[in-house]
Amino acid sequence: MSDHNPVSFQLAGLGLRMYPGEYPVNDVTPHKHQWALHDALTDRLPGLFVDDAPTGAGKTLAWLAPVVSEGLHTVAAYPTNALIEDQVRNIDEKLEDIDGGDNVRVLAVTSETLQNEHAERFPSANSNGERLRDLLKVAFDSRETVILLTNPDIFVLLRREIYRERIDAISRFEVAVVDEFHRATRKERNTMLFLLDEMYETDEAICRLNHLVFLSATPEKELERQFEEAMGAPYYRVSEVDWRQMPLPEVPDTEESVIAFAPDELPSNCRAVLPPVDLTITPAPTFETATAILNSEDVLHDRLRDGRTVMMLDGVHEVDRVYNSLTQSDLAGTVRIDGFHRENVREKLDSFETLVSNSAVEVGVDFDTEQIIFSGHDAASFFQRLGRLRTRPNRSTAYAYVPPYLFDALESIADTYTGQWIDRATFEEQVSSEYIDASTPESFDWRYSAVEAYDHVENRAKSAPSDDQPAIREAGWKRIERHFFYSHEKGLTESDLKRLHDVAGTPLLDSLQTYRGDSIQTVVYNSQSQTIQTYSIPHLLRHGDVSFHSKDEFLSILPEQLHDQVSRLEPYSSGYCLYQGGYEDETDTADKEESTGRLVTYKATGELYSLLNDVSRDIRTPKVCTGLEIEIEPSVSGLDLLKKSLSDTEVLCYPLEGHVSQIQNQYSLGPFGFIYPLYYTEGDAAVAFSHDALYLHCRVQDRIEAESNTIDEVLDF
């Protein structure tokens, strides 16, 4: 670990001015961004609206108030199921005060609700698609304003009619809201924008969607280009457009709508959305923040006793280490929330003294805390987590652990700001410019997103009457050009795209049609919380205290009331896993520099071996393979059962010669470009799965293209 002394900054608070008026919510004086969306939606102004107001500024109310008061059917997509659960509670509370709130039906739809409460409500439905079809039909038949809260995965399944049942109700929504869009990956962003653009441009008699609302951080340059140039809807940043022209005597025109303030200097006509913060920054490599914390006497014996504290780490295994250590100390009121501990979330958020978590609380979920301790592996996470100190005017404290290279850059400028309260925008610009860009290559747009869109358009055309097919294809091609071919200097034609499509093949195309892509996962019974879920096999094998079982043995371990859930989850999983907490070995201690877990190695057998051995790197492409094998040291009970189950599982793979660290460095993958060791008789090798396989392939091909003289070589992937 570094011997550097931490560096400190004083960040000014952020306040929003209040603008009185006849707003359709009791006892609320809106901010400028809330008036902007209100006026746009109540005036039925078609378009794409980006609300980039700060965290805690009331972005949910900004869209909720007008859609409820105007009776606009709305689908809202949230990135996590935990956020959906929190928003249901939040919206239900707000409806009591909104004009028209007594005539609203709020629906929460996730894979879990479809497999549980909605399955119980519609017992005759035999699939998730049938349940969702029946649920929406009943809702729209009620003549209430329908607000559907779901995740992007389900939205994409709905729009693409991947569910076996055709669900026409998706076309009845007039407003689409997408929350935290800046957190989406390149593939996810491209998928969502293309589908929303298609819906917006479809004749209103077929699809009523006229308003696209993105709740996001300030769009970076490339995303703003997509909003402005790729989308058919007129683009508005609500922070930059004045819809309300009537003078408001209470607020002089010369006053700014967003202000920075030092402690005790918040004007009376403003509301604090971000407090003044004393920020301390310490170096720690990604996935080693837990080690830095557990090695720090200041954290364990001083900081955690200074008030309510939220800790946000990078992985479940880091949460395990810190939580277990704190529960063995004399520190009271420690709770955890992560992918394996999602029960009683609201109770935990209301009662904690110290909350140990990861990305499960990074986005949106409301809590109040006096200080945060977090890791910031990239700029988006750094400011997302820092922004969780919100809606409080009081001076607060934050401790950030950042990559050493970023710390070195900030260390060199810290003295410049000594004794100053730094404006948030200035600080964000400074920090963001120093982070290393590990973004997905631009070539992903035309190599894969364009192919995904082409396949989508072809499927829609083939399912349409023959007279409509030419128009669907023509409109689809123009949309593909706008979205994905703007930057390709060589210029691809429609026939080029068809070649790419044909090379990809059906299994790979199927993997592209979903939002996040398939993962290698298993059905898991968490014996601690007595809950059933699915989870990533690579993580469980490396970091979990797990065992695998036959189905009969697995069911005998479970409480009987959970058996139906197993039946609903097993079609999407391989194997049956018992989880009893995090894996620990004799070397996994606070003195260790990194929690490495078990050694997990995949084996190049069958199709995967042929792909690596028989196909040279310059023409090798990701492929959906079966026969994946795994070796683990030390082993886990029932591994042979998992191997048997995995042998028939189809997995999108892309293998490369070379050691994992060599490949990560060669192609600038960063710590979250997940690749895994691959046992290969000819030497070192590694493998990437699902969408990670596609991203890695793009980086490899970009290098080949740079050395290639003809586009034809590239078009063969």
Side-chain angles (χ1 to χ4, degrees):
M1 300 302 298
S2 172
D3 293 328
H4 288 283
N5 293 322
V7 297
S8 298
F9 297 88
Q10 292 180 316
L11 306 184
L14 202 62
L16 295 189
R17 207 167 297 283
M18 295 180 286
Y19 292 80
E22 295 182 5
Y23 197 63
V25 185
N26 296 336
D27 301 322
V28 169
T29 303
H31 303 301
K32 192 173 183 179
H33 74 100
Q34 292 170 325
W35 274 124
L37 264 184
H38 170 273
D39 290 355
L41 294 177
T42 56
D43 290 346
R44 299 296 203 275
L45 178 67
L48 185 158
F49 307 92
V50 174
D51 190 345
D52 59 353
T55 299
K59 291 196 285 285
T60 296
L61 188 64
W63 67 263
L64 182 66
V67 303
V68 170
S69 63
E70 295 297 309
L72 300 172
H73 298 309
T74 300
V75 55
Y78 294 93
T80 68
N81 291 347
L83 184 51
I84 292 172
E85 295 170 11
D86 201 64
Q87 285 298 304
V88 169
R89 178 187 61 82
N90 186 24
I91 289 173
D92 282 342
E93 291 176 356
K94 286 180 168 62
L95 288 177
E96 299 176 3
D97 297 318
I98 301 176
D99 295 348
D102 57 352
N103 191 45
V104 174
R105 182 167 297 207
V106 179
L107 305 175
V109 174
T110 65
S111 59
E112 291 180 357
T113 62
L114 285 172
Q115 292 154 6
N116 294 298
E117 61 192 73
H118 298 318
E120 294 174 3
R121 184 179 176 191
F122 300 100
S124 62
N126 296 316
S127 67
N128 285 348
E130 289 185 18
R131 294 178 196 114
L132 191 46
R133 177 202 61 192
D134 294 346
L135 180 68
L136 292 177
K137 182 179 185 305
V138 170
F140 281 112
D141 287 348
S142 72
R143 300 186 180 276
E144 296 175 304
T145 302
V146 178
I147 297 179
L148 171 64
L149 308 182
T150 191
N151 53 51
D153 309 74
I154 288 178
F155 175 85
V156 169
L157 292 175
L158 271 169
R159 179 57 188 166
R160 287 196 160 144
E161 300 175 3
I162 296 177
Y163 287 120
R164 294 181 181 177
E165 292 294 320
R166 178 168 179 165
I167 305 172
D168 293 326
I170 187 67
S171 298
R172 297 184 64 175
F173 290 105
E174 299 154 280
V175 180
V177 178
V178 185
D179 196 17
E180 302 287 351
F181 192 59
H182 60 288
R183 305 292 286 153
T185 66
R186 194 178 194 103
K187 191 276 179 199
E188 294 165 358
R189 184 176 71 191
N190 289 346
T191 297
M192 183 64 76
L193 288 180
F194 189 86
L195 295 180
L196 287 172
D197 192 26
E198 179 184 62
M199 293 176 70
Y200 178 87
E201 291 196 316
T202 299
D203 188 281
E204 193 169 349
I206 301 173
C207 183
R208 301 178 188 176
L209 188 64
N210 272 324
H211 314 285
L212 311 178
V213 179
F214 292 86
L215 313 179
S216 181
T218 302
E220 43 88 14
K221 184 177 179 180
E222 168 55 23
L223 184 54
E224 188 138 54
R225 185 212 66 80
Q226 288 183 282
F227 287 150
E228 288 181 328
E229 301 176 19
M231 303 294 285
Y235 166 52
Y236 304 95
R237 286 262 295 278
V238 299
S239 60
E240 296 180 348
V241 180
D242 292 321
W243 272 281
R244 297 186 72 77
Q245 300 299 328
M246 294 180 61
L248 300 170
E250 297 89 345
V251 183
D253 292 339
T254 56
E255 294 190 0
E256 296 292 330
S257 61
V258 181
I259 67 156
F261 69 94
D264 303 319
E265 294 182 6
L266 179 68
S268 60
N269 59 353
C270 293
R271 181 175 70 87
V273 296
L274 295 174
V277 172
D278 293 297
L279 172 64
T280 300
I281 299 178
T282 302
T286 304
F287 297 121
E288 293 187 35
T289 299
T291 298
I293 288 172
L294 295 176
N295 285 343
S296 171
E297 294 293 322
D298 286 345
V299 176
L300 298 178
H301 297 289
D302 296 322
R303 295 176 187 172
L304 295 183
R305 289 165 169 79
D306 285 343
R308 297 187 93 214
T309 304
V310 172
M311 307 174 73
M312 287 174 279
L313 308 172
D314 285 325
V316 175
H317 58 287
E318 286 199 292
V319 176
D320 272 334
R321 295 183 65 209
V322 173
Y323 175 77
N324 290 337
S325 178
L326 295 184
T327 54
Q328 294 168 16
S329 71
D330 62 348
L331 194 69
T334 300
V335 302
R336 66 183 293 174
I337 299 174
D338 55 45
F340 277 114
H341 301 84
R342 299 179 295 178
E343 70 284 354
N344 306 318
V345 168
R346 179 44 48 191
E347 179 182 328
K348 291 176 180 177
L349 292 174
D350 290 340
S351 64
F352 74 86
E353 288 300 319
T354 300
L355 168 62
V356 187
S357 187
N358 56 1
S359 58
V361 300
E362 179 180 332
V363 178
V365 178
D366 287 332
F367 55 78
D368 181 51
T369 184
E370 296 168 74
Q371 61 179 349
I372 55 172
I373 299 173
F374 67 96
S375 60
H377 57 268
D378 61 22
S381 284
F382 183 99
F383 289 103
Q384 189 82 37
R385 294 177 175 189
L386 179 62
R388 301 305 284 140
L389 283 170
R390 65 185 197 178
T391 62
R392 57 196 338 262
N394 302 328
R395 189 169 182 169
S396 302
T397 307
Y399 300 94
Y401 292 82
V402 303
Y405 75 84
L406 176 66
F407 178 84
D408 292 341
L410 296 181
E411 190 178 36
S412 67
I413 65 171
D415 290 343
T416 306
Y417 297 106
T418 299
Q420 299 180 40
W421 287 96
I422 311 167
D423 176 83
R424 294 274 185 145
T426 300
F427 182 73
E428 183 166 347
E429 181 179 357
Q430 183 77 60
V431 173
S432 297
S433 67
E434 299 293 350
Y435 267 104
I436 293 175
D437 182 10
S439 58
T440 307
E442 288 185 3
S443 66
F444 186 89
D445 292 353
W446 64 267
R447 292 188 197 278
Y448 285 111
S449 287
V451 174
E452 170 193 343
Y454 183 89
D455 190 60
H456 169 78
V457 171
E458 279 297 298
N459 289 336
R460 294 196 71 80
K462 290 174 183 177
S463 64
S466 57
D467 291 347
D468 295 336
Q469 292 181 9
I472 291 173
R473 288 190 170 98
E474 181 180 2
W477 172 249
K478 290 180 178 178
R479 188 171 298 109
I480 290 170
E481 284 187 307
R482 290 202 313 264
H483 281 255
F484 308 123
F485 290 159
Y486 65 94
S487 67
H488 200 269
E489 296 176 359
K490 299 180 177 63
L492 297 184
T493 66
E494 191 170 359
S495 61
D496 291 332
L497 183 56
K498 186 178 186 304
R499 286 176 61 190
L500 286 170
H501 177 269
D502 292 345
V503 168
T506 299
L508 191 151
L509 291 170
D510 287 345
S511 73
L512 283 170
Q513 291 303 305
T514 57
Y515 181 73
R516 284 182 234 264
D518 296 326
S519 61
I520 310 171
Q521 60 183 14
T522 183
V523 176
V524 181
Y525 174 58
N526 185 341
S527 63
Q528 298 172 325
S529 61
Q530 296 190 321
T531 55
I532 286 287
Q533 63 187 97
T534 57
Y535 210 81
S536 163
I537 289 175
H539 176 88
L540 289 168
L541 292 178
R542 186 171 182 183
H543 296 294
D545 179 6
V546 296
S547 56
F548 291 86
H549 304 267
S550 67
K551 182 176 180 179
D552 289 342
E553 185 180 16
F554 186 69
L555 292 176
S556 70
I557 298 171
L558 270 60
E560 188 172 349
Q561 64 268 25
L562 297 179
H563 289 191
D564 286 345
Q565 290 187 46
V566 174
S567 299
R568 296 173 191 137
L569 292 174
E570 60 187 353
Y572 314 102
S573 306
S574 298
Y576 304 89
C577 175
L578 173 63
Y579 174 86
Q580 300 185 80
Y583 168 71
E584 297 182 11
D585 61 27
E586 294 180 357
T587 61
D588 188 10
T589 69
D591 295 329
K592 221 178 133 184
E593 285 297 302
E594 183 180 4
S595 175
T596 57
R598 297 186 187 88
L599 176 63
V600 181
T601 305
Y602 297 85
K603 294 183 68 175
T605 61
E607 295 173 291
L608 186 56
Y609 178 86
S610 298
L611 190 60
L612 189 60
N613 191 65
D614 300 339
V615 183
S616 62
R617 180 181 292 203
D618 59 338
I619 60 172
R620 186 183 308 146
T621 65
K623 183 178 180 181
V624 176
C625 302
T626 57
L628 185 68
E629 290 191 18
I630 300 176
E631 295 297 335
I632 307 168
E633 180 62 38
S635 190
V636 300
S637 175
L639 182 61
D640 287 344
L641 291 170
L642 175 63
K643 288 181 177 181
K644 182 177 180 181
S645 181
L646 274 178
S647 65
D648 296 326
T649 300
E650 294 186 337
V651 183
L652 179 60
C653 303
Y654 183 61
L656 281 183
E657 306 86 347
H659 191 272
V660 166
S661 59
Q662 174 194 4
I663 294 168
Q664 285 178 319
N665 292 331
Q666 183 178 5
Y667 295 106
S668 303
L669 300 184
F672 285 88
F674 291 117
I675 56 174
Y676 302 94
L678 182 68
Y679 177 75
Y680 178 49
T681 55
E682 305 301 318
D684 288 335
V687 63
F689 300 122
S690 191
H691 290 168
D692 287 324
L694 306 181
Y695 295 143
L696 178 57
H697 177 244
C698 286
R699 292 188 182 278
V700 173
Q701 287 298 310
D702 283 351
R703 182 161 297 186
I704 292 172
E705 180 181 0
E707 300 168 356
S708 172
N709 294 320
T710 68
I711 188 64
D712 286 339
E713 294 178 47
V714 179
L715 285 176
D716 289 332
F717 273 127

